[in-house]
Every structure is written in C-alpha cells, then in structure tokens.
Amino acid sequence: MKKLFMLLTVVFIFILSSCSTNQETKKKESVLDNYNVMNNHSEVRVKDFIYRIVSEKQEYANDEKVKIYLELEYVGNEEQVTIYHAESPFYFNLKEKTRNYDIVYGMNQPLVKTTIVKGRPLREEYKVGSGGYSGDDPKEYVDFMKKIMDTKRLPYGYYILNGKTDFYVETVKNGKNVQIEYNISSPIDFKVNEKTK
C-alpha cells in the first residue's frame, strides 16, 4: 500500500509540474504573439558601399543557434579600397523588447585597416554570448545575461538588432589627403520561441 501511495504521489507531482511548465510556455508564447517580425534583412547603399544585415530566419527555436551576419560591400570604381575602423567595422546592438533589456556589445578601439576587394563583401557573424552586467543591475537582468553567456543561446523573446558599420576611407581632394567617414545603420528583428525543434 505504501509503495502504491508513493507511486501515485510521484505521478501526481510529475503531472503537476508538466502542467505548470506547459502553462508557462503558453504564457511566454502569448507574450511573443504581441510582436510581429517586420524585417529580418536590410540593405542600405551609401556612396560606394552597400551595407547588409541579415537574420537567416524570422523565428528561431530556443535550442537553435541564431544566425545573423553583417556585410559591407565595395561597389565603387577602384578594384579595392582600404577602410579604417575599430577592432571591427561592425557593431551588433541588440535589444530584447519583451523584457526591455539591452544586450551590450563591447569592442576594443584600436585603429585597424582592412582592404575590401570589389565584389567580395566583408562579412562578420553575430556571436551569441557576448555582453555583460554589473553588480548594480537587477537580478533578473543578471540571470538573463548569465544564461546567454553560459549557453551561447538567446532566451525566448522578441529581438531588435540595430546593426551598424562605422569606418572611414582616405582619399585625395584638391591635392590634400581627406578622410571620408561612413556611419551606416539599419535594424532587423526576429523572435526566439520557447518551443524546441
């Protein structure tokens, strides 16, 4: 009789925990239903450069790797051009809207030069897991960031990525060396669902 009672207790606890997990998943999904993905790719041309930002999907499952990249393509008259920038010419400024959390993207600021060959875009992928927090941040935010840093995955949510490229090129005008600065940005959005694949 005791064994039967124990077995029924375990089964009851399992059913109860399954129900609460399903309810939490449905609640998270209903929050995401309030957001519509408008644009998972964008392309902007400024003078001799085309800037692209692309998320390979509009929606990802929570156990899936988010695949996003930024590209810079030179389309001017020369065979190649040298650009000057920080550690990277690309910035990934990510915001999770359901929680209103910013996922900080830090970068070293040395002066680096990169040569871009016409017709061969310079590309960089977003690496999930970057970011940080301080001791003054709320516990929920710290837990959120720790989860990203530990799992290298984004938790469920609706994300807006304000991608940006920031660089300059040197040219000669009227016999003088001049720097032409470029600061191009464009947003995309995507969702990470609670469901697994």
Side-chain angles (χ1 to χ4, degrees):
M1 187 72 169
K2 284 184 181 181
K3 288 183 181 181
L4 180 61
F5 179 74
M6 277 294 240
L7 180 62
L8 289 174
T9 303
V10 168
V11 169
F12 179 72
I13 290 171
F14 178 75
I15 291 171
L16 207 61
S17 68
S18 294
C19 288
S20 68
T21 302
N22 286 341
Q23 287 174 346
E24 188 173 318
T25 299
K26 286 179 183 175
K27 182 181 172 187
K28 289 177 181 177
E29 287 172 5
S30 69
V31 168
L32 286 182
D33 288 342
N34 295 326
Y35 297 92
N36 294 317
V37 175
M38 303 300 287
N39 195 17
N40 69 313
H41 67 280
S42 177
E43 184 172 295
V44 178
R45 181 172 178 163
V46 176
K47 298 179 185 172
D48 292 338
F49 292 92
I50 297 173
Y51 166 73
R52 291 182 196 93
I53 178 170
V54 177
S55 170
E56 290 188 0
K57 292 184 174 186
Q58 290 187 350
E59 296 190 26
Y60 296 89
N62 71 348
D63 61 346
E64 223 178 337
K65 182 180 178 187
V66 172
K67 294 184 180 177
I68 299 171
Y69 63 87
L70 300 181
E71 275 188 351
L72 184 63
E73 183 175 0
Y74 174 67
V75 291
N77 296 327
E78 307 298 323
E79 287 300 310
Q80 63 186 32
V81 66
T82 300
I83 65 170
Y84 298 83
H85 53 83
E87 185 176 51
S88 166
F90 300 117
Y91 294 83
F92 296 88
N93 301 311
L94 193 59
K95 183 174 203 73
E96 199 291 303
K97 292 294 284 181
T98 67
R99 301 170 183 89
N100 204 28
Y101 287 164
D102 289 314
I103 301 168
V104 179
Y105 183 78
M107 185 189 317
N108 292 327
Q109 300 293 318
L111 181 61
V112 176
K113 66 180 181 176
T114 302
T115 300
I116 302 176
V117 176
K118 185 175 180 175
R120 281 196 231 154
L122 179 64
R123 177 190 276 206
E124 187 173 324
E125 288 190 22
Y126 175 65
K127 294 175 184 70
V128 178
S130 63
Y133 54 88
S134 75
D136 296 331
D137 288 327
K139 181 185 182 320
E140 295 80 14
Y141 179 75
V142 171
D143 292 345
F144 178 81
M145 289 307 303
K146 281 183 178 179
K147 186 173 185 178
I148 291 172
M149 293 161 70
D150 292 344
T151 65
K152 306 293 188 228
R153 298 283 189 266
L154 293 174
Y156 90 92
Y158 171 69
Y159 293 87
I160 295 178
L161 176 61
N162 288 304
K164 176 175 104 165
T165 183
D166 188 11
F167 63 94
Y168 69 86
V169 295
E170 291 184 336
T171 189
V172 177
K173 281 192 179 180
N174 301 327
K176 294 182 179 179
N177 286 342
V178 232
Q179 294 178 357
I180 301 172
E181 294 189 14
Y182 291 84
N183 189 323
I184 311 168
S185 63
S186 186
I188 59 166
D189 58 339
F190 61 93
K191 290 181 184 179
V192 177
N193 291 304
E194 186 65 18
K195 296 176 189 171
T196 58
K197 291 196 282 185

